[in-house]
Amino acid sequence: MSASQIAREAGVETSTIRRLLAGQKTIRRTTTEKLLGVSLDVRPSVGDVPALGATRRVRALYALGHFNWEIAEAAGISRDAVCALAQGSWPTLKVAADDGVRRAYDQLSMLTGGSWKTRRLAERRGWVPPLAWDDDSIDDANAVPLTDALAPPPTAGDDVVARFLMGESVVLDRNGRREALQHLMEWTTLTPEEIGERLEMEPDSVSRAWERIKRRARLEGGRVPWRRVYIPQQDYKRDEMEKVA
């Protein structure tokens, strides 16, 4: 991460980070706590990142039949870059390019393209569509796609998430799962384990997705969701009040 990103994540001045890097010997305890609280999973904002995730995303969009120019336009990169990623020619790429591929993937992964050439290429190479990848593992070099069975298509309609939350058996798309997860984390007392069981996700994946939702809200300047966990009312003895508080 850059000095400015570390400072932003920790909520301190960039100059503080630069002084530490220059060899400053002491630091305030409160600043120490802020720095130690920065997650090591935070995505870097500058430099290069592994291209594996971008390659898998481009190949998945090929499997849906999207044109390379269509992917390039949505990602804000060149057609040559898309082709190079599809071929696995790049071991790394710039963060900005990777972010563009992620945006294109979010935009196009639930739509079918009109290119039989990219679809045929994907079939020959064994490239799988987006539904074979889990959002939390697509960047993991050790992850493998789920190809044992074809996943059912998402349920159509504007109220699919509401129907799911009411207990109806529906199939959510990626955005629907994100919306349902946010609602369950924000407005219910269900644990990540219970939510994961309902959404067919690992508890750690639920927690990571929740952190991504909050991070995106902060970056977009919108309302940041938070867990509204209620404690049932009951009578407490005097010596129990401090513990409850």
Side-chain angles (χ1 to χ4, degrees):
M1 289 187 280
S2 66
S4 59
Q5 184 180 12
I6 297 172
R8 184 169 61 252
E9 295 291 337
V12 300
E13 295 294 331
T14 304
S15 58
T16 300
I17 307 301
R18 299 193 193 282
R19 286 196 300 271
L20 286 171
L21 292 173
Q24 178 176 306
K25 300 300 183 181
T26 61
I27 188 175
R28 291 179 181 273
R29 181 182 298 275
T30 54
T31 305
T32 300
E33 293 171 350
K34 290 179 180 179
L35 289 170
L36 292 177
V38 176
S39 172
L40 296 181
D41 295 330
V42 174
R43 178 176 168 79
S45 59
V46 295
D48 296 340
V49 294
L52 177 63
T55 292
R56 287 173 171 174
R57 289 178 175 88
V58 168
R59 290 175 175 178
L61 295 179
Y62 269 35
L64 289 180
H66 288 290
F67 293 95
N68 54 21
W69 62 262
E70 184 181 13
I71 301 171
E73 186 175 284
I77 59 178
S78 68
R79 292 175 62 179
D80 289 342
V82 171
C83 294
L85 287 170
Q87 296 300 327
S89 302
W90 291 355
T92 62
L93 77 166
K94 295 297 182 183
V95 171
D98 189 55
D99 287 341
V101 173
R102 290 168 184 259
R103 288 194 303 271
Y105 187 76
D106 288 341
Q107 177 182 334
L108 302 173
S109 60
M110 298 309 297
L111 303 173
T112 301
S115 172
W116 62 267
K117 289 185 177 181
T118 56
R119 187 181 293 111
R120 185 72 57 83
L121 176 62
E123 290 175 356
R124 291 201 307 267
R125 301 289 179 86
W127 299 342
V128 297
L131 288 176
W133 289 109
D134 184 275
D135 284 347
D136 290 313
S137 63
I138 191 171
D139 296 289
D140 186 351
N142 296 318
V144 294
L146 303 175
T147 57
D148 293 337
L150 293 176
T155 305
D158 297 331
D159 58 347
V160 177
V161 175
R163 290 158 58 189
F164 171 82
L165 294 172
M166 292 294 291
E168 185 175 337
S169 179
V170 298
V171 179
L172 299 174
D173 61 15
R174 181 175 290 100
N175 291 330
R177 287 169 65 86
R178 186 183 298 117
E179 183 181 341
L181 186 148
Q182 176 175 341
H183 177 89
L184 293 172
M185 286 291 288
E186 185 172 10
W187 295 102
T188 75
T189 58
L190 296 177
T191 65
E193 290 76 12
E194 293 169 326
I195 295 173
E197 182 177 352
R198 188 165 179 181
L199 291 171
E200 298 181 353
M201 298 172 62
E202 292 295 326
D204 288 345
S205 297
V206 172
S207 298
R208 287 195 298 270
W210 173 240
E211 292 303 319
R212 285 200 300 271
I213 289 171
K214 293 191 293 183
R215 189 177 302 125
R216 176 180 294 184
R218 284 193 292 267
L219 291 175
E220 294 177 349
R223 182 187 66 84
V224 179
W226 53 282
R227 295 224 69 184
R228 293 165 167 81
V229 179
Y230 300 99
I231 300 177
Q233 291 185 356
Q234 66 180 75
D235 295 329
Y236 294 99
K237 298 178 181 178
R238 182 183 298 274
D239 58 354
E240 296 175 327
M241 292 299 294
E242 183 177 353
K243 181 179 180 181
V244 172

